[in-house]
Amino acid sequence: AIFQQVEGVIKVTSGYAGGTVLNPTYKQVCTGTTGHAECLNIEYDTSKVTFDELLEMFWQVHDPTTLNRQGNDVGTQYRSVVFYHNDLQKTTVEKYKAELNKSGAWDNPVVTTLEPFTKFYPAEDYHQNYYNSNKGEGYCQFVIRPKVEKFEKVFKSKLKKN
């Protein structure tokens, strides 16, 4: 819901990465035993938005200080993680994380993990475009919508023009 709005983002796919189970299902990932994290694969036009800009947005839209937890969702499948594709991305994330910790932007240390990208598994169809397809649902109203509204205010200049 958030990254789809960013100018230069071509496609956002919900899915799973970082685990050992081939072709995992949501039900399997939810057990916390697959090693996979729920995550996004973001395809983008580097002439319109940079990795650094997407990374800045990433740090803003979730709590990177809670280990294996996002809101009420608990388990390794909810870890804050960046799956890097090359050494430059890894170095960039490490630098940004260190700067955030040094700055005191968060009351607690940033615990986001950095893991090499190996394979991404798209989530089931009903997980794709979830917010836009389910805006009236409680989870969307009380968890996602406030994040979307905050994002739209903070990153107004980065949004796609309608």
Side-chain angles (χ1 to χ4, degrees):
I2 289 171
F3 290 102
Q4 288 174 326
Q5 300 181 68
V6 176
E7 182 66 37
V9 169
I10 299 162
K11 184 177 180 184
V12 179
T13 306
S14 298
Y16 321 110
T20 56
V21 173
L22 299 177
N23 300 306
T25 64
Y26 178 68
K27 189 173 181 179
Q28 289 173 310
V29 172
C30 281
T31 67
T33 61
T34 66
H36 288 289
E38 289 188 16
C39 60
L40 300 173
N41 187 61
I42 302 173
E43 297 174 36
Y44 61 100
D45 179 343
T46 57
S47 71
K48 295 182 179 178
V49 65
T50 66
F51 177 75
D52 291 55
E53 289 171 315
L54 292 172
L55 191 59
E56 179 183 358
M57 294 170 195
F58 166 79
W59 298 115
Q60 289 277 336
V61 298
H62 80 293
D63 184 351
T65 69
T66 54
L67 188 62
N68 300 328
R69 177 185 195 123
Q70 288 302 312
N72 291 330
D73 296 323
V74 179
T76 56
Q77 68 272 29
Y78 302 112
R79 68 189 178 272
S80 175
V81 58
V82 174
F83 295 101
Y84 59 88
H85 290 255
N86 55 50
D87 287 340
L88 179 58
Q89 285 185 349
K90 181 182 180 186
T91 302
T92 301
V93 176
E94 288 172 333
K95 179 181 170 221
Y96 207 129
K97 182 178 171 181
E99 287 174 2
L100 277 174
N101 280 325
K102 186 188 259 185
S103 75
W106 297 91
D107 291 336
N108 296 309
V110 172
V111 296
T112 300
T113 61
L114 285 76
E115 300 176 28
F117 174 82
T118 54
K119 177 97 172 121
F120 175 81
Y121 298 96
E124 296 80 353
D125 287 345
Y126 69 93
H127 286 289
Q128 305 306 329
N129 208 20
Y130 188 82
Y131 176 73
N132 293 328
S133 300
N134 299 280
K135 285 184 179 178
E137 297 294 323
Y139 181 81
C140 292
Q141 288 289 310
F142 298 107
V143 177
I144 301 174
R145 190 184 78 213
K147 288 182 180 187
V148 169
E149 290 172 352
K150 177 183 174 188
F151 179 82
E152 289 171 345
K153 288 177 186 170
V154 174
F155 293 100
K156 188 175 186 171
S157 66
K158 300 292 182 187
L159 301 179
K160 291 177 180 173
K161 313 297 183 255
N162 290 334

